[in-house]
Amino acid sequence: FQPKVMAGKRILITAGPTFEAIDPVRGITNLSSGKMGYAVARAAREAGAEVTLISGPTALATPFGVQRIDVQSARQMMEAVNAAIDGQHVFIAVAAVADWRVKNPSAQKVKKTGDAAPTLEFEENPDILATIAARTTLAGHPYCVGFAAESENLVAFGAAKRERKGIPLLVGNIGHHTFGADDNTIILFDEHGHTILPRADKLTLARQLISEISKRTNKHSLF
Ligand code: C5P
């Protein structure tokens, strides 16, 4: 039984990887499965929230009662988030967004020429979470939660990343093997320090996370 701690709240979530095109049939992506973000969306809905899930390419079914918007690239994800953000109480960025995109994707499939291999140039993608966290208009100023996957020194890096992104709550994943796995161990970083949520399946952790967010947002001005 999940108490409806988020009844009447609107929650926007990003999940999955992004896909950055090289040409019409090739691209650059990462190993994010989307499982954690989808579990967070399911847990938020169970808690009574109206949930919008903006998802990169995944093989997962849409959680019951969740409105899902599919995107591919980081820029499309940014546009979809911008279009949906007004009136949201909470924004949870779980997506593994590509830091860079290919600068000049080819309109046609790149062919082997027998000459040198092609060279890819990159340019930086927008930081969706930092962009939303920096908004100051009331209608578009949700409680922002970020995720961080670090392979070392998570406690020090997590606290620093929370500050750098300008967000009240950052969720750190412990270890290298979280992408695609069903289990996870997470650390919550807030203004008071950090709390470890011991290893559990992603849905259990997602439910705990939603409960933690609800406690913290009771003090948030939009609530
Ligand atoms: O800086 P880093 O990529 O480690 O930050 C991870 C957090 O920032 C995640 O919450 C992720 O969803 C979000 N992020 C984003 N847009 C980016 C990069 C990361 O929203 N371009």
Side-chain angles (χ1 to χ4, degrees):
F1 169 74
Q2 291 294 306
K4 301 268 186 253
V5 290
M6 289 294 190
K9 305 294 183 260
R10 283 180 294 274
I11 303 187
L12 182 65
I13 298 165
T14 65
T18 63
F19 178 91
E20 310 296 329
I22 295 172
D23 70 17
V25 296
R26 302 187 183 96
I28 294 173
T29 186
N30 61 65
L31 288 176
S32 168
S33 64
K35 284 179 185 170
M36 191 68 213
Y38 278 57
V40 172
R42 177 174 164 184
R45 160 74 195 195
E46 284 175 356
E50 194 183 302
V51 181
T52 306
L53 175 63
I54 298 178
S55 177
T58 73
L60 301 174
T62 309
F64 174 78
V66 167
Q67 192 207 342
R68 170 170 159 191
I69 299 166
D70 286 328
V71 298
Q72 290 212 310
S73 69
R75 280 198 294 186
Q76 288 168 353
M77 189 173 274
M78 180 82 252
E79 275 175 35
V81 166
N82 276 333
I85 196 70
D86 281 358
Q88 297 288 340
H89 298 96
V90 180
F91 175 56
I92 311 176
V94 197
V97 183
D99 291 320
W100 297 280
R101 64 176 172 270
V102 178
K103 196 169 177 185
N104 293 308
S106 170
Q108 304 300 332
K109 185 179 171 191
V110 179
K111 307 296 268 182
K112 276 186 282 193
T113 61
D115 301 334
T119 305
L120 293 179
E121 260 191 89
F122 292 92
E123 59 191 357
E124 214 170 315
N125 272 328
D127 188 321
I128 300 166
L129 175 59
T131 304
I132 298 306
R135 282 174 59 128
T136 49
T137 57
L138 188 62
H141 197 234
Y143 183 87
C144 289
V145 182
F147 270 70
E150 302 286 357
S151 56
E152 57 173 351
N153 242 339
L154 182 61
V155 171
F157 287 163
K161 182 166 290 185
R162 187 187 80 84
E163 301 258 333
R164 197 166 62 244
K165 298 261 179 186
I167 55 174
L169 184 64
L170 182 100
V171 183
N173 292 289
I174 298 183
H176 314 235
H177 302 298
T178 177
F179 277 21
D182 290 316
D183 283 17
N184 209 353
T185 302
I186 62 182
I187 309 187
L188 303 183
F189 297 90
D190 65 13
E191 77 275 26
H192 302 299
H194 68 272
T195 318
I196 297 180
L197 301 187
R199 189 161 198 90
D201 65 89
K202 288 179 174 176
L203 183 57
T204 301
L205 290 171
R207 287 173 175 152
Q208 291 170 355
L209 175 63
I210 290 297
S211 155
E212 293 293 330
I213 293 171
S214 107
K215 285 184 216 157
R216 288 167 172 79
T217 49
N218 283 335
K219 298 174 218 137
H220 192 62
S221 58
L222 248 186
F223 274 67

